[in-house]
Amino acid sequence: ETGVTQSPTHLIKTRGQQVTLRCSSQSGHNTVSWYQQALGQGPQFIFQYYREEENGRGNFPPRFSGLQFPNYSSELNVNALELDDSALYLCASRRTYQETQYFGPGTRLLVL
Amino acid sequence: EDQVTQSPEALRLQEGESSSLNCSYTVSGLRGLFWYRQDPGKGPEFLFTLYSAGEEKEKERLKATLTKKESFLHITAPKPEDSATYLCAVQMNSGGYQKVTFGTGTKLQVIP
């Protein structure tokens, strides 16, 4: 069974730019969530996707957006990058009627 | 407001010195409580899911317990390879989706 994978592993951007992060969910998992983890903090929920639609969102502005594809893979897009967007971005997947979610290795984003 | 608090923030143990990590929570409609282990710069690794007060789960040197207001992660005779940050998260129903809130973690260092 393939686990959750994310790409790229590391990324450096400058303030004002846009970025797209990618996630492939674990086999059989159709619900995907994205989290932002600042250094020394716990992961903060950004949003969740199920059946290609966002069905839950945390306290993040609209410049954080996402997509889910028919194969359950997902993208996180961030526009107008700010210095505070520097963080580890985590993708997690689960089966719809199960609570436990499994995380990918994350993408480390640095905004200069 | 839903809240998850972990203590202590950091813990230093000698190899073989057993201890417990605490996760207290105030949420409505708890669906599950999760423990994850996270190594520096990596995604959280799933350890346990607990669903109801009185439930216990074990894996090697780790044992997780749950009450109505808190959970404990007991570490028996730890080894240096147990050094990591341990994250607690709670899942609850929120506006039609299952919201997950993380604590800030306990950073465990086990010294040989």
Side-chain angles (χ1 to χ4, degrees):
Chain A
E1 189 174 84
T2 307
V4 180
T5 60
Q6 292 186 242
S7 63
T9 55
H10 296 83
L11 204 51
I12 299 175
K13 292 284 187 178
T14 56
R15 195 170 49 181
Q17 284 188 312
Q18 177 266 341
V19 68
T20 297
L21 310 182
R22 294 178 175 82
C23 169
S24 291
S25 61
Q26 189 164 324
S27 177
H29 289 190
N30 54 9
T31 299
V32 175
S33 298
W34 285 90
Y35 292 81
Q36 179 194 66
Q37 187 177 24
L39 208 58
Q41 301 296 314
Q44 297 290 312
F45 174 71
I46 303 175
F47 44 55
Q48 174 179 284
Y49 275 82
Y50 170 63
R51 288 188 175 181
E52 303 173 50
E53 290 193 3
E54 182 184 301
N55 70 343
R57 189 177 185 95
N59 295 325
F60 282 81
R63 62 188 184 85
F64 286 78
S65 64
L67 284 172
Q68 187 183 30
F69 300 99
N71 66 352
Y72 308 134
S73 66
S74 177
E75 287 183 354
L76 165 65
N77 299 290
V78 187
N79 293 321
L81 283 167
E82 301 177 359
L83 297 180
D84 285 348
D85 294 334
S86 296
L88 181 68
Y89 287 86
L90 297 163
C91 170
S93 73
R94 63 180 175 87
R95 297 179 192 272
T96 304
Y97 298 107
Q98 295 180 351
E99 283 75 21
T100 302
Q101 55 185 351
Y102 297 86
F103 283 83
T107 293
R108 173 71 64 186
L109 173 65
L110 177 61
V111 182
L112 301 176
Chain B
E1 184 182 326
D2 301 324
Q3 202 163 11
V4 180
T5 304
Q6 291 189 245
S7 61
E9 289 185 7
L11 183 62
R12 196 175 185 195
L13 299 173
Q14 291 291 327
E15 183 172 2
E17 179 187 0
S18 301
S19 188
S20 295
L21 313 182
N22 177 262
C23 171
S24 63
Y25 60 92
T26 53
V27 299
S28 54
L30 180 75
R31 288 184 60 90
L33 183 140
F34 312 98
W35 283 98
Y36 289 87
R37 168 197 169 123
Q38 187 174 30
D39 292 305
K42 298 191 176 181
E45 176 189 343
F46 170 73
L47 294 174
F48 304 109
T49 303
L50 302 168
Y51 294 102
S52 57
E55 189 174 0
E56 298 182 352
K57 289 193 176 173
E58 288 188 66
K59 179 181 178 180
E60 296 180 354
R61 295 178 293 282
L62 300 176
K63 178 180 178 180
T65 62
L66 181 65
T67 72
K68 287 188 177 180
K69 291 189 176 181
E70 60 189 350
S71 176
F72 292 94
L73 184 65
H74 307 277
I75 303 177
T76 303
K79 299 182 177 182
E81 53 262 42
D82 295 323
S83 297
T85 295
Y86 290 85
L87 294 166
C88 167
V90 296
Q91 185 182 56
M92 69 221 83
N93 288 324
S94 176
Y97 75 98
Q98 295 172 19
K99 177 182 176 183
V100 176
T101 300
F102 277 82
T104 54
T106 293
K107 187 173 183 179
L108 173 66
Q109 183 184 16
V110 182
I111 302 166

